[in-house]
């Protein structure tokens, strides 16, 4: 853990609360049913088997990283097992995404940063009737993600720099988006740009998840600014990620919650 992250964790640890601080019925149930629940359907077992295989895969390739890079591994050449170990969110978080999609029956999902496609698989499996639009610059990672997801017919893979591929896709299809999981270029500017590009496609029921909000000063600045935007009516900080809500019935509140 880098020094900035360690400091951030210390602050989070002292600020985080649980269901007892939540007076809104929506957030109370969201917390207990989706954040704290550990319920997961058996049909995700095969996704975790795929993750386990990737964690042992010694294949090495040169990565085309258009993001802020890795703080653990600065080399341009990486093994699949190193990417699986350091770049993917953990099973607990993947299962949280799965529960959100099932609970709200979300039908239109954007993932920024496909990597090896493990979270893509969770999101596609959570609702086979949903469309998952996933974006990745690295062709080698994308090849693995396609293989991991060969059974899922509801995924649209978009290769290239998100700065181009995301506006292109949104312009062409003009979809409304229920859920965004942004985990690609970990810089301040890219994080704000992604939000601005997607915002016109969100509805009052949408949820925008930004990963690694405490990863660097830039990511934290983006998070602090976005949660204050007038369109954002509430937020949850889970340390690993932040969630933004847009329902105008909510009284503006920011929660820091144990995950
Ligand atoms: C942290 S990984 C994503 C992990 C994935 N969400 C998961 O947990 O399974 C970030 C990915 O975003 C990709 N990425 C970063 N910047 C990008 C950009 N500007 N355009 C497209 N992909 C980008 C990287 O190549 C990398 O594979």
């Amino acid at each position: 853990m880098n020094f900035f992250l360690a400091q951030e964790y210390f602050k989070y640890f002292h600020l985080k609360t649980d269901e007892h601080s939540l007076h809104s019925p929506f957030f109370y149930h969201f917390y207990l049913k989706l954040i704290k629940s550990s319920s997961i359907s058996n049909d995700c077992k095969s996704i975790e088997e795929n993750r386990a295989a990737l964690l042992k895969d010694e294949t090495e390739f040169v990565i085309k990283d258009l993001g802020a890079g890795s703080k653990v591994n600065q080399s341009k050449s990486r093994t699949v097992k190193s990417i699986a170990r350091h770049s993917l969110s953990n099973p607990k978080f993947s299962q949280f995404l799965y529960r959100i999609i099932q609970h709200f029956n979300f039908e239109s999902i954007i993932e920024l940063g496909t990597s090896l496609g493990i979270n893509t698989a969770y999101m596609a499996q959570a609702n086979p009737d949903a469309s998952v639009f996933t974006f990745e610059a690295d062709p080698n990672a994308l090849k693995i993600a396609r293989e991991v997801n060969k059974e899922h017919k509801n995924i649209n893979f978009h290769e290239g720099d998100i700065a181009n591929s995301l506006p292109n896709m949104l312009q062409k299809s003009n979809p409304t988006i229920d859920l965004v999981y942004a985990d690609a270029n970990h810089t301040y500017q890219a994080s704000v740009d992604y939000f601005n590009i997607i915002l016109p496609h969100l509805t009052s029921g949408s949820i925008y998840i930004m990963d690694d909000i405490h990863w660097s000063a830039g990511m934290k600045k983006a998070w602090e600014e976005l949660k204050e935007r007038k369109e954002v009516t509430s937020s949850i900080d889970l340390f690993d990620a932040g969630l933004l809500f847009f329902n105008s019935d909510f009284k503006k509140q920011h929660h820091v919650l144990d995950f």
Side-chain angles (χ1 to χ4, degrees):
M1 195 185 269
N2 68 64
F3 184 63
F4 183 84
L5 204 58
Q7 272 183 319
E8 286 296 297
Y9 189 74
F10 183 77
K11 286 184 235 165
Y12 164 79
F13 187 80
H14 287 94
L15 285 174
K16 71 186 167 90
T17 57
D18 57 17
E19 71 272 19
H20 301 298
S21 70
L22 297 169
H23 305 298
S24 138
F26 175 88
F27 285 106
Y28 182 84
H29 289 112
F30 190 93
Y31 184 72
L32 290 182
K33 277 197 185 147
L34 304 178
I35 297 177
K36 284 318 264 188
S37 161
S38 52
S39 84
I40 188 69
S41 111
N42 257 345
D43 62 18
C44 292
K45 249 179 91 185
S46 64
I47 305 177
E48 285 309 316
E49 283 164 13
N50 277 327
R51 189 199 299 267
L54 295 172
L55 280 163
K56 289 190 195 136
D57 190 331
E58 311 257 1
T59 312
E60 193 164 336
F61 57 77
V62 175
I63 53 162
K64 183 175 174 183
D65 193 343
L66 299 182
S70 162
K71 281 196 171 161
V72 176
N73 192 337
Q74 294 301 319
S75 159
K76 285 276 170 232
S77 177
R78 298 198 42 199
T79 55
V80 171
K81 72 176 192 186
S82 156
I83 297 174
R85 175 139 186 252
H86 299 295
S87 301
L88 308 189
S89 64
N90 56 35
K92 182 178 165 189
F93 192 82
S94 303
Q95 289 161 11
F96 170 54
L97 290 175
Y98 182 92
R99 283 195 295 275
I100 293 182
I101 293 166
Q102 282 212 327
H103 181 81
F104 293 107
N105 197 24
F106 279 161
E107 289 182 341
S108 184
I109 297 149
I110 283 183
E111 177 186 37
L112 302 178
T114 318
S115 191
L116 306 178
I118 292 295
N119 276 334
T120 326
Y122 269 97
M123 295 194 283
Q125 194 141 314
N127 180 5
D129 293 329
S131 297
V132 179
F133 303 95
T134 187
F135 296 78
E136 174 58 54
D138 187 89
N140 292 309
L142 213 43
K143 198 169 154 208
I144 295 172
R146 285 183 197 273
E147 181 59 26
V148 162
N149 284 286
K150 59 180 187 282
E151 308 292 331
H152 296 123
K153 305 297 172 214
N154 55 339
I155 303 174
N156 299 278
F157 292 94
H158 294 265
E159 184 176 334
D161 188 345
I162 291 168
N164 306 316
S165 54
L166 177 64
N168 283 349
M169 184 286 278
L170 291 173
Q171 224 166 42
K172 252 190 225 150
S173 325
N174 196 21
T176 52
I177 301 296
D178 298 320
L179 179 71
V180 179
Y181 173 49
D183 185 22
N185 185 350
H186 285 21
T187 61
Y188 164 80
Q189 197 55 54
S191 302
V192 173
D193 289 348
Y194 295 160
F195 181 87
N196 287 335
I197 293 168
I198 298 174
L199 184 62
H201 299 269
L202 302 178
T203 67
S204 68
S206 302
I207 301 176
Y208 191 103
I209 304 180
M210 190 175 152
D211 210 73
D212 288 324
I213 53 173
H214 295 282
W215 192 74
S216 64
M219 289 298 284
K220 186 171 180 204
K221 183 170 178 243
W223 166 247
E224 294 294 338
E225 276 180 31
L226 293 180
K227 72 188 174 84
E228 294 306 334
R229 292 280 290 264
K230 68 173 188 322
E231 299 87 355
V232 173
T233 55
S234 282
S235 68
I236 297 178
D237 176 346
L238 296 176
F239 190 72
D240 287 342
L243 282 72
L244 301 172
F245 298 83
F246 303 85
N247 189 334
S248 55
D249 294 340
F250 294 163
K251 190 171 137 249
K252 189 137 184 157
Q253 355 174 20
H254 302 300
H255 306 286
V256 181
L257 296 176
D258 183 45
F259 180 45

